[in-house]
Amino acid sequence: MIAIITGDIINSQKSDTEIWLPKLKELMASWSSTPENWEVYRGDEFQLKCSVDGVFHKALLLKSLIKTFENLDVRLAIGIGNEVFRSEKITESNGSAYVNSGRLLTDIKLNGRTLAIQTENEKVNRDLNILFKWASIDFDNWTAATAEIIHQLLRNSELTQEELAKELNITQSSVSQRLKRANFDLLQETNQFFKKKIAEL
């Protein structure tokens, strides 16, 4: 069983691709190799293969990265299933994980959502998608400044608020306020809940 994230950048036409695209590629390259495990195509769409238990964390990293750029957002469709054909290019591989993710991206575009999951288990789908609807209320409203802090902490959980404040040249109280506004503790609890639910598959 594998996880596939299919995503597309919202408002990409209103932003300079040269600003956000290298950062997106750099992030995915830190996880695995391209084009076998990830690829950007059609300018503002991408696909990523990863482990099932780590997929929500990676989705949060992708979301927080893109939200650091003013006026940009990202839709993320998580598909979980099998891989029946593995090509040298992820966009040519196939299996239920790929089908679930690709079809789901089309659905969430139509429904105005930015995060959803599709597995072979309808109960897991129902529970996690309700959770994602609530969580997206926070995710979709992150400011660029808040997203930057979330992204840094997701990449390095050992960072203290003091270290983060120094790195971003802001006060420790500003870091604390932004984390509270972003419900960072709840975000971590959501990740743990996701892992428990996904273990039911």
Side-chain angles (χ1 to χ4, degrees):
M1 194 163 58
I2 62 165
I4 298 292
I5 298 176
T6 305
D8 73 327
I9 308 300
I10 301 170
N11 295 328
S12 61
Q13 302 88 348
K14 299 177 182 177
S15 178
D16 187 350
T17 304
E18 292 180 4
I19 296 174
W20 59 264
L21 184 57
K23 293 291 186 182
L24 175 63
K25 288 183 174 181
E26 180 185 327
L27 177 62
M28 292 194 290
S30 72
W31 298 329
S32 57
S33 59
T34 185
E36 183 181 3
N37 295 313
W38 64 268
E39 194 170 2
V40 178
Y41 55 96
R42 290 197 290 219
D44 62 357
E45 295 187 13
F46 60 90
Q47 201 162 51
L48 167 74
K49 178 168 68 174
C50 62
S51 67
V52 172
D53 64 338
V55 68
F56 183 61
H57 187 254
K58 285 183 169 58
L60 290 175
L61 279 161
L62 289 163
K63 181 80 169 181
S64 58
L65 172 69
I66 297 302
K67 291 287 286 183
T68 62
F69 301 101
E70 293 287 349
N71 303 317
L72 286 186
D73 203 342
V74 61
R75 292 184 195 89
L76 298 166
I78 300 172
I80 293 178
N82 64 17
E83 182 180 55
V84 295
F85 175 70
R86 183 173 182 174
S87 173
E88 292 180 359
K89 295 181 69 176
I90 187 173
T91 51
E92 295 174 358
S93 297
N94 205 349
S96 62
Y98 296 88
V99 173
N100 287 340
S101 182
R103 288 179 179 169
L104 185 59
L105 183 64
T106 301
D107 290 345
I108 65 175
K109 279 183 183 180
L110 294 173
N111 296 326
R113 295 175 60 196
T114 59
L115 178 65
I117 189 168
Q118 180 70 38
T119 75
E120 306 300 316
N121 185 315
E122 285 307 316
K123 182 179 183 300
V124 169
N125 293 341
R126 184 191 67 230
D127 292 351
L128 287 178
N129 280 313
I130 288 172
L131 180 69
F132 286 173
K133 283 179 183 179
W134 278 108
S136 292
I137 295 171
D138 275 342
F139 303 162
D140 294 346
N141 288 300
W142 285 341
T143 64
T146 297
E148 184 176 26
I149 284 180
I150 296 293
H151 189 73
Q152 293 286 359
L153 280 175
L154 288 171
R155 289 198 83 167
N156 182 4
S157 60
E158 302 300 314
L159 272 178
T160 65
Q161 289 190 14
E162 290 78 11
E163 289 169 334
L164 195 50
K166 188 175 182 181
E167 190 172 316
L168 299 176
N169 199 28
I170 59 177
T171 64
Q172 185 271 326
S173 62
S174 294
V175 171
S176 179
Q177 288 167 6
R178 290 178 191 178
L179 289 175
K180 283 179 183 174
R181 281 198 300 270
N183 293 312
F184 187 70
D185 289 342
L186 184 58
L187 192 66
Q188 292 176 306
E189 288 180 41
T190 302
N191 189 32
Q192 293 306 313
F193 178 78
F194 176 87
K195 289 181 177 181
K196 286 181 182 177
K197 291 301 295 184
I198 223 68
E200 295 176 14
L201 294 176

